[in-house]
mmCIF file of all heavy atoms in Angstrom:
data_model
loop_
_atom_site.group_PDB
_atom_site.id
_atom_site.type_symbol
_atom_site.label_atom_id
_atom_site.label_comp_id
_atom_site.label_asym_id
_atom_site.label_seq_id
_atom_site.Cartn_x
_atom_site.Cartn_y
_atom_site.Cartn_z
ATOM 1 N N VAL A 12 98.020 138.818 261.555
ATOM 2 C CA VAL A 12 97.834 137.425 261.953
ATOM 3 C C VAL A 12 96.372 137.082 261.572
ATOM 4 O O VAL A 12 95.456 137.748 262.067
ATOM 5 C CB VAL A 12 98.112 137.244 263.449
ATOM 6 C CG1 VAL A 12 97.857 135.743 263.795
ATOM 7 C CG2 VAL A 12 99.528 137.602 263.711
ATOM 8 N N LEU A 19 91.671 138.028 252.954
ATOM 9 C CA LEU A 19 92.848 138.834 253.092
ATOM 10 C C LEU A 19 92.722 140.034 252.139
ATOM 11 O O LEU A 19 92.252 139.912 250.994
ATOM 12 C CB LEU A 19 94.117 138.022 252.731
ATOM 13 C CG LEU A 19 95.385 138.892 252.661
ATOM 14 C CD1 LEU A 19 95.853 139.284 254.014
ATOM 15 C CD2 LEU A 19 96.462 138.101 251.829
ATOM 16 N N GLY A 27 103.564 160.445 244.017
ATOM 17 C CA GLY A 27 104.634 161.159 243.301
ATOM 18 C C GLY A 27 104.919 160.648 241.948
ATOM 19 O O GLY A 27 105.956 161.073 241.339
ATOM 20 N N GLN A 38 107.928 136.564 249.983
ATOM 21 C CA GLN A 38 109.204 136.116 250.480
ATOM 22 C C GLN A 38 108.947 135.162 251.672
ATOM 23 O O GLN A 38 108.533 135.637 252.739
ATOM 24 C CB GLN A 38 110.117 137.292 250.834
ATOM 25 C CG GLN A 38 111.546 136.877 251.229
ATOM 26 C CD GLN A 38 112.419 138.068 251.507
ATOM 27 O OE1 GLN A 38 111.947 139.152 251.832
ATOM 28 N NE2 GLN A 38 113.700 137.940 251.343
ATOM 29 N N GLY A 41 113.619 132.963 255.023
ATOM 30 C CA GLY A 41 114.856 132.563 254.536
ATOM 31 C C GLY A 41 115.001 132.235 253.052
ATOM 32 O O GLY A 41 115.902 131.650 252.617
ATOM 33 N N GLN A 45 109.539 135.867 245.370
ATOM 34 C CA GLN A 45 108.740 135.200 244.348
ATOM 35 C C GLN A 45 107.763 136.158 243.777
ATOM 36 O O GLN A 45 106.906 136.690 244.522
ATOM 37 C CB GLN A 45 108.030 133.997 244.930
ATOM 38 C CG GLN A 45 107.103 133.221 243.957
ATOM 39 C CD GLN A 45 106.282 132.186 244.616
ATOM 40 O OE1 GLN A 45 105.903 132.264 245.773
ATOM 41 N NE2 GLN A 45 106.043 131.103 243.908
ATOM 42 N N VAL A 51 100.713 146.765 234.680
ATOM 43 C CA VAL A 51 101.288 147.843 233.871
ATOM 44 C C VAL A 51 100.301 148.938 233.770
ATOM 45 O O VAL A 51 100.552 150.052 233.165
ATOM 46 C CB VAL A 51 101.776 147.394 232.489
ATOM 47 C CG1 VAL A 51 102.874 146.349 232.663
ATOM 48 C CG2 VAL A 51 100.636 146.821 231.702
ATOM 49 N N GLY A 54 93.437 148.059 235.961
ATOM 50 C CA GLY A 54 92.736 146.832 235.482
ATOM 51 C C GLY A 54 93.584 145.772 234.792
ATOM 52 O O GLY A 54 93.072 144.791 234.413
ATOM 53 N N ILE A 56 96.281 143.012 235.033
ATOM 54 C CA ILE A 56 96.975 142.183 236.064
ATOM 55 C C ILE A 56 97.541 140.991 235.325
ATOM 56 O O ILE A 56 96.831 140.295 234.574
ATOM 57 C CB ILE A 56 96.003 141.683 237.117
ATOM 58 C CG1 ILE A 56 95.223 142.882 237.777
ATOM 59 C CG2 ILE A 56 96.773 140.877 238.181
ATOM 60 C CD1 ILE A 56 96.129 143.832 238.517
ATOM 61 N N GLU A 59 101.789 135.431 237.885
ATOM 62 C CA GLU A 59 102.973 134.659 237.628
ATOM 63 C C GLU A 59 102.874 133.225 238.187
ATOM 64 O O GLU A 59 103.518 132.341 237.610
ATOM 65 C CB GLU A 59 104.200 135.378 238.233
ATOM 66 C CG GLU A 59 104.591 136.597 237.502
ATOM 67 C CD GLU A 59 105.100 136.332 236.095
ATOM 68 O OE1 GLU A 59 106.079 135.512 235.964
ATOM 69 O OE2 GLU A 59 104.496 136.827 235.112
ATOM 70 N N LEU A 64 95.672 133.396 245.679
ATOM 71 C CA LEU A 64 95.690 134.838 245.762
ATOM 72 C C LEU A 64 95.199 135.483 244.497
ATOM 73 O O LEU A 64 95.274 134.887 243.396
ATOM 74 C CB LEU A 64 97.078 135.369 246.135
ATOM 75 C CG LEU A 64 97.723 134.840 247.413
ATOM 76 C CD1 LEU A 64 99.130 135.191 247.542
ATOM 77 C CD2 LEU A 64 96.925 135.321 248.638
ATOM 78 N N ILE A 75 96.169 146.138 245.005
ATOM 79 C CA ILE A 75 95.600 145.378 246.144
ATOM 80 C C ILE A 75 95.795 143.814 245.983
ATOM 81 O O ILE A 75 95.598 143.328 244.840
ATOM 82 C CB ILE A 75 94.085 145.652 246.263
ATOM 83 C CG1 ILE A 75 93.906 147.160 246.576
ATOM 84 C CG2 ILE A 75 93.492 144.767 247.344
ATOM 85 C CD1 ILE A 75 92.453 147.550 246.552
ATOM 86 N N GLY A 99 115.354 150.877 238.213
ATOM 87 C CA GLY A 99 115.228 150.200 239.514
ATOM 88 C C GLY A 99 113.839 149.993 240.052
ATOM 89 O O GLY A 99 112.972 150.749 239.725
ATOM 90 N N GLY A 103 108.202 148.617 248.973
ATOM 91 C CA GLY A 103 107.521 149.037 250.222
ATOM 92 C C GLY A 103 108.185 148.335 251.367
ATOM 93 O O GLY A 103 109.107 147.524 251.236
#
Side-chain angles (χ1 to χ4, degrees):
Chain A
V12 180
L19 173 72
Q38 187 175 22
Q45 180 187 34
V51 299
I56 308 294
E59 288 294 302
L64 302 169
I75 298 172

